[in-house]
Amino acid sequence: MDISCFKQTAKMSKPDVTYVTHNNGTKMQSIGLGTYTSLGGDCERAVKDAIDAGYRHIDTAYFYENEHEVGNAVKEKIAEGVIKREDIFIVSKLWCHFHEPDRVEYACRKSLANFGLDYIDLYLMHWPYSYVHRGDDVLMPTNAKGEVELSDIDYLDTWKAMEKLQEKGLVKSIGVSNFNSEQLARLLANCKIKPIHNQIECHPALNQKPLIALCQKYNIVVTAYCPLGRPDPAKKTPVYLFDGKAKEIGDKYNKTPAQVVLRYLIEIGTVPLPKSVTKNRIIENLNVFDFKLSAEDHKILDSYNTGERLIPMDHAKKSPYYPFAIDY
């Protein structure tokens, strides 16, 4: 969807993208390409366009069912000589029905086979809670009432199995996603290998500053999914892209509201993962490293924080490991 708040003539020169350094010394670009819901060839094309534009950080998951498209795009760009394998940082995630320790390596190897690659740069536990396994492709198992079938596997047991993946070289690093402050503290008190990431929903309406501060204290990088709040131009949501304030900020820097928001997320301490399959916007989203927001800009963007989630995962509230039952 091409909407006015995103439109801008794409720069053809590759931007000078900054990198973050993880607690294990590995490095990753300060922005990544999100791929959730990118299917049917769109994902493969988007990843190719992203690599050509200068992206070296691609985020996917088993749940997205597009790992093969990401792998095909990466392998093609390696064959073309555009990148080497070590230039690209690929993130994937262990889905909730693979949390049983005996299934973790199997799940990782399935993802590796999907990619057609020898290792994954970063493998995340997608959620701290788990589902009953009803088959590899039954991603949301439900009972007769239509309720998602939760299991009570402790994420600490799952994590111990993930540590073995790194020890075996199947993945370079491991991390988590959607973990709250208490879950992070418990994991850090019981792990052998420290997580390098916590990937969380983060945008101006849910800026997650307390959790970001805690992760910084632990030296854990925060990646931000849904960074642009899933724009709906017909409804003019989210408000921070459509009410004119972000446009006024962007006009000062010759940037779009979307670029302003991505810059904001970088400056508050996250690595945003904007998702797009449109070449011009993929390029545009990367061009956020040649300006800085003022304190007043931040004050305006902070004012949108309501704490409302786009992805509350209410179906998992009965799990003892549901992450959103506390403030952060």
Side-chain angles (χ1 to χ4, degrees):
M1 59 184 178
D2 288 308
I3 56 179
S4 60
C5 78
F6 287 91
K7 287 181 179 178
Q8 181 180 332
T9 302
K11 296 180 181 179
M12 299 313 294
S13 60
K14 291 185 177 64
D16 187 15
V17 183
T18 61
Y19 280 70
V20 295
T21 301
H22 302 120
N23 59 43
N24 64 357
T26 58
K27 294 186 177 183
M28 181 192 74
Q29 275 187 340
S30 301
I31 196 167
L33 179 73
T35 63
Y36 179 52
T37 71
S38 298
L39 295 165
D42 284 347
C43 178
E44 185 171 339
R45 185 174 60 254
V47 173
K48 290 176 185 176
D49 288 341
I51 291 171
D52 286 341
Y55 286 79
R56 297 295 180 264
H57 171 195
I58 310 296
D59 182 88
T60 185
Y62 183 87
F63 179 71
Y64 302 171
E65 299 183 286
N66 59 15
E67 289 173 324
H68 61 290
E69 293 192 44
V70 172
N72 288 342
V74 168
K75 287 182 289 184
E76 184 169 321
K77 289 303 171 182
I78 291 172
E80 291 176 5
V82 177
I83 54 170
K84 297 177 181 177
R85 173 63 185 92
E86 58 268 27
D87 297 332
I88 194 91
F89 194 93
I90 297 174
V91 181
S92 196
K93 308 176 190 79
L94 177 78
W95 187 237
C96 305
H97 67 335
F98 287 135
H99 275 215
E100 292 172 344
D102 289 345
R103 294 190 194 276
V104 170
E105 182 175 330
Y106 168 80
C108 181
R109 289 187 182 277
K110 276 186 71 74
S111 288
L112 284 168
N114 288 339
F115 286 123
L117 299 171
D118 295 329
Y119 65 89
I120 298 169
D121 294 275
L122 174 59
Y123 199 49
L124 304 178
M125 194 185 312
H126 206 145
W127 291 91
Y129 55 79
S130 59
Y131 300 152
V132 173
H133 185 272
R134 299 294 186 200
D136 294 354
D137 298 327
V138 183
L139 301 179
M140 300 285 283
T142 55
N143 61 22
K145 296 179 181 178
E147 300 166 333
V148 176
E149 292 184 293
L150 298 165
S151 70
D152 59 358
I153 298 165
D154 192 327
Y155 57 81
L156 291 183
D157 294 329
T158 306
W159 184 258
K160 289 172 185 175
M162 290 177 66
E163 290 177 329
K164 294 177 183 177
L165 303 179
Q166 185 169 329
E167 292 166 353
K168 290 182 177 182
L170 298 176
V171 303
K172 296 292 186 182
S173 303
I174 51 178
V176 296
S177 182
N178 299 296
F179 271 49
N180 66 31
S181 58
E182 293 176 358
Q183 291 166 336
L184 284 173
R186 181 170 178 256
L187 178 60
L188 289 169
N190 291 279
C191 67
K192 184 163 59 172
I193 299 176
K194 183 177 178 179
I196 70 167
H197 265 220
N198 188 21
Q199 185 175 130
I200 57 177
E201 180 183 343
C202 187
H203 41 75
L206 183 69
N207 67 33
Q208 299 271 25
K209 286 191 175 183
L211 188 53
I212 293 167
L214 184 72
C215 288
Q216 289 174 335
K217 177 183 173 183
Y218 292 148
N219 198 14
I220 293 173
V221 169
V222 172
T223 41
Y225 68 79
C226 292
L228 300 176
R230 293 185 172 175
D232 185 336
K235 295 180 180 177
K236 295 195 178 299
T237 58
V239 64
Y240 49 80
L241 288 180
F242 292 94
D243 75 349
K245 293 179 185 176
K247 186 179 186 306
E248 289 178 13
I249 295 171
D251 287 346
K252 293 192 297 183
Y253 308 106
N254 193 29
K255 296 294 179 181
T256 66
Q259 288 172 314
V260 167
V261 167
L262 293 174
R263 183 67 209 174
Y264 167 76
L265 293 172
I266 291 168
E267 291 185 7
I268 66 171
T270 78
V271 174
L273 302 170
K275 174 251 172 181
S276 181
V277 296
T278 305
K279 184 174 183 178
N280 189 67
R281 196 166 309 131
I282 288 170
I283 295 169
E284 184 179 290
N285 288 341
L286 196 63
N287 278 283
V288 293
F289 295 93
D290 56 353
F291 73 108
K292 291 184 179 180
L293 300 172
S294 69
E296 183 60 29
D297 297 333
H298 273 268
K299 190 174 179 181
I300 292 168
L301 290 161
D302 286 345
S303 72
Y304 292 108
N305 185 48
T306 63
E308 185 176 354
R309 294 182 182 277
L310 294 170
I311 306 173
M313 301 301 272
D314 289 339
H315 71 265
K317 282 185 175 180
K318 292 181 180 179
S319 169
Y321 306 116
Y322 179 70
F324 306 143
I326 62 174
D327 287 343
Y328 70 94

